[in-house]
Amino acid sequence: MKFFIDTANLDQIREANDLGVLDGVTTNPSLMAKENIRGAENVKKHYVDICNIVKGDVSAEVIATDYEGMIREGKELAALHPQIVVKVPCTKDGIKAIKYFTDHGIRTNCTLVFSVGQALLAAKAGATYVSPFIGRLDDVSTDGVELIRQIVDVYNYYEFGTQVLAASIRHTMHIIQCLEAGADVATCPLNAILGLLNHPLTDIGLQKFLDDYKKVNG
Ligand code: G3P
């Protein structure tokens, strides 16, 4: 399973990357706005800055909602850096754009996916990744992790090459559940990744090792 960090915050990206286990980054317009990145040129520079920190794939989302606009923007984003994956919403024009990008060797991440049917269209269009939003499904009393399980099953059954990228992960337990559901990638906030480290028995055990060492070594 690959680990992506879901943020546009450069300090958090550096911190996750320093752990040595980071495989990539996902962003979206809301995450860019949270970092107050304004204007098309600054947004592009920010994507390049992210690519220069991590080795893996970096999802950069189109703003256009029409087919021609998505193609124009997606080409510009893909030209920024070889690590860029063009993130496209799961709409009618979005699916058409993903098919175009697939046919022209540009990798894509189909975002805002909330159903198996949407995931099917993304895979048929040749998306590199599909991003089901599990936290937002949980928010409306629907089991987000169950959707991951269903998409993984369907993709395996029909041998689709699209990777299932679990998104809208809100906490550490979501990561474990996505792992068990067979997600190819989990994109997570930094605190959810760091939460994987927490265990009181590790802290207690380490303290005892240090205390015992001091007893004989002073
Ligand atoms: O990966 C998508 C993510 O950024 C959305 O998360 O918490 O806004 O649903 P959230």
Side-chain angles (χ1 to χ4, degrees):
M1 189 205 220
K2 287 191 272 189
F3 256 137
F4 289 2
I5 188 167
D6 192 29
T7 184
N9 182 287
L10 298 183
D11 289 337
Q12 290 191 12
I13 292 169
R14 276 190 207 97
E15 186 175 341
N17 193 55
D18 285 349
L19 270 177
V21 298
L22 192 68
D23 299 300
V25 179
T26 51
T27 62
N28 61 42
S30 302
L31 293 172
M32 295 296 269
K34 201 170 161 192
E35 302 308 316
N36 208 16
I37 314 296
R38 299 155 186 249
E41 289 316 306
N42 286 332
V43 166
K44 284 181 190 169
K45 181 185 172 303
H46 202 75
Y47 286 136
V48 173
D49 289 345
I50 294 173
C51 290
N52 288 332
I53 296 172
V54 299
K55 282 211 170 70
D57 291 347
V58 174
S59 287
E61 188 157 340
V62 297
I63 302 297
T65 55
D66 63 299
Y67 174 74
E68 282 79 14
M70 286 180 183
I71 300 299
R72 190 176 56 250
E73 258 185 64
K75 282 179 172 173
E76 285 173 12
L77 291 171
L80 290 176
H81 198 283
Q83 286 167 236
I84 293 284
V85 174
V86 179
K87 205 170 180 188
V88 181
C90 191
T91 60
K92 195 170 167 188
D93 282 22
I95 294 296
K96 279 170 61 183
I98 289 170
K99 177 71 174 109
Y100 173 92
F101 290 133
T102 303
D103 291 345
H104 290 77
I106 293 175
R107 296 177 308 138
T108 52
N109 177 353
C110 184
T111 191
L112 288 168
V113 166
F114 295 93
S115 74
V116 176
Q118 291 177 317
L120 169 67
L121 291 176
K124 291 285 289 178
T128 313
Y129 298 103
V130 66
S131 288
F133 276 33
I134 65 170
R136 293 192 193 183
L137 280 170
D138 287 359
D139 288 344
V140 293
S141 312
T142 302
D143 189 343
V145 174
E146 183 54 29
L147 177 62
I148 300 292
R149 212 181 314 278
Q150 289 172 347
I151 296 172
V152 167
D153 282 351
V154 169
Y155 280 10
N156 284 344
Y157 188 82
Y158 289 100
E159 298 182 349
F160 286 123
T162 300
Q163 296 176 59
V164 180
L165 192 166
S168 182
I169 282 178
R170 302 275 174 76
H171 49 74
T172 303
M173 197 56 202
H174 265 158
I175 304 178
I176 303 298
Q177 291 168 329
C178 287
L179 189 73
E180 290 170 347
D184 299 289
V185 190
T187 188
C188 325
L190 180 62
N191 59 359
I193 297 175
L194 295 178
L196 293 167
L197 282 168
N198 293 341
H199 203 291
L201 291 179
T202 304
D203 301 336
I204 292 166
L206 181 58
Q207 191 57 54
K208 180 159 172 41
F209 286 156
L210 294 176
D211 290 347
D212 289 345
Y213 178 86
K214 271 190 203 148
K215 272 183 210 159
V216 293
N217 292 283

